[in-house]
Amino acid sequence: MTHSAPDPYRHRIGLLADPHVHATRLPGVDGPALRPLEEVMASTRVFNESVPAFRATLAGMEAQGAALVLLLGDLTDDGQETDLRTARAILAEHEARGMRFLMVPGNHDMFGMKGRHLTQGYVVGDRTQRRSSQPTAGEVHDPGMRALGYPEALALLPGLGFTPDPRDLHWESPFGSADWVRRTYGPNNQIDASYLVEPVEGVWILSLDANHFVPGAAKGAIEGLADPNHQGWAAVVRDRPYLLDWMTDVAARARDGGKRLIAMSHYPMLEPADRVLALDLPLRGGAPDAQRDAVAEALRQTGIGRVVTAHYHLNADVRLGGPDGRVLANHAVPSPVTWPGAYRTLGPEGLVTHLVRPADFIDGDPYGGALPTDDYGAFLKAHYEAQMVWRYYRPEWPEAALKGLETARIADLPARQVSDDWYHLRKGAPIPEERLRLYRRLSPDPLTALTRRLTAFVQGYSAAE
């Protein structure tokens, strides 16, 4: 586990990001229905292990005394009814023992107002089948595969902060009402599920729904709506100024009233991958992104101070200051279903990262021995490293520099080993201690040291072309 600076407040709060709950028991299917190897390896996260990992995460938080847990979005893998019901039932088990959960929607939890069709592969018994929410030749028609829209999904998620609760000391929405009919924006009257709640005296939780659904899109349009995965806060700042006005007002009232304000958003406000030099990836030459910088500055000026986020499955902390003295701290929280498999807590001892290691995490072996199934940490690491070439190296590296990695050396190590380590550190994941000691001789912050070395390496190849 890793620690940040101490927090002076007495409440310990659990921070759970991207559990991607994916049920492996489907209505009408005898026995487990598991996602096949090819779909798992094409995904940023693992599917079949999500429920044991979710249970282990919640058990760990309960054991640590986190009576309040913030669910930072992507509670479910695709917003399907079975997954939503499965996740909500597991949360209810812990609510019965005194825990409370507050949620912000993620891009995987609900889609627009009407939902969308999905097709997925499953290993059922000894065969693989394609299951689709709409009738399609050669596929099993399963209406339960459909991703739900906001109204249907929110109806399955009661008690998670989206509407007032008798226990709340204060609750409000940016629309001055809890009525869903009034809590909308845009031409489709899309629901904005943002809210502010005081669950315990002196603590304000500001849940900011940055899912942004507008008709049409140049990139990533799905069934006529822009995919929020490709938009994030830039679209919110551009199209929903009322939300920033409300954030500014809430922050001012929190300061005046002596409230501890914690904002939560599925999407980062500050890019976690930029935490080293406040620049873009070294592979792109460190060129600043003016639009992203402007969005970050607009969010900093709201004065909310601290936000906990998800989406990228990274364990990272980024801060942005300004001449007015206001600082925006973005604390990115890792996922229990991607390497390294973790969650965070915020309490008197500060931000603490905890690894998730369920003892029994798999129901059979649908992977044919391609992934280790006796150790959850090794399993997630193998999944991550198997994706490095096609997910990271090929799209991010210039071809000449990529070839150079195979023969060059950096810091007396094979260059490819150094770049692999950089990808682990960028994710907030551990690397072998002996190499970590070597990198610390280059700089107290190994990630900074490797970023600078790899930037120079890439720039050297670019200059030679």
Side-chain angles (χ1 to χ4, degrees), residues 66-84:
L68 176 64
V69 175
L70 306 186
L71 304 171
L72 304 180
D74 288 359
L75 172 66
T76 65
D77 195 60
D78 275 312
Q80 295 157 323
E81 181 177 349
T82 300
D83 295 343
L84 288 162

Side-chain angles (χ1 to χ4, degrees), residues 40-68:
V40 172
M41 297 311 298
S43 171
T44 58
R45 67 263 177 213
V46 298
F47 301 117
N48 303 316
E49 300 71 32
S50 62
V51 170
F54 187 51
R55 288 187 176 280
T57 299
L58 296 177
M61 290 180 171
E62 183 173 346
Q64 290 144 17
L68 176 64

Side-chain angles (χ1 to χ4, degrees), residues 102-120:
L102 298 172
M103 178 179 171
V104 65
N107 57 301
H108 281 263
D109 291 315
M110 48 199 82
F111 191 85
M113 293 296 285
K114 298 180 180 179
R116 63 186 176 113
H117 288 291
L118 289 173
T119 300
Q120 295 173 338

Side-chain angles (χ1 to χ4, degrees), residues 146-184:
R146 177 175 161 270
L148 302 185
Y150 264 64
E152 294 172 287
L154 289 167
L156 296 175
L157 299 171
L160 300 184
F162 296 118
T163 54
D165 186 285
R167 296 170 291 179
D168 298 337
L169 302 177
H170 176 77
W171 188 98
E172 65 179 81
S173 81
F175 303 92
S177 172
D179 187 348
W180 289 119
V181 174
R182 296 180 59 185
R183 296 167 66 183
T184 62

Side-chain angles (χ1 to χ4, degrees), residues 245-267:
D245 292 342
W246 182 60
M247 291 162 60
T248 302
D249 178 64
V250 167
R253 286 187 281 133
R255 288 192 298 272
D256 293 344
K259 305 295 184 181
R260 176 195 186 192
L261 179 63
I262 303 173
M264 63 174 174
S265 162
H266 181 65
Y267 304 96

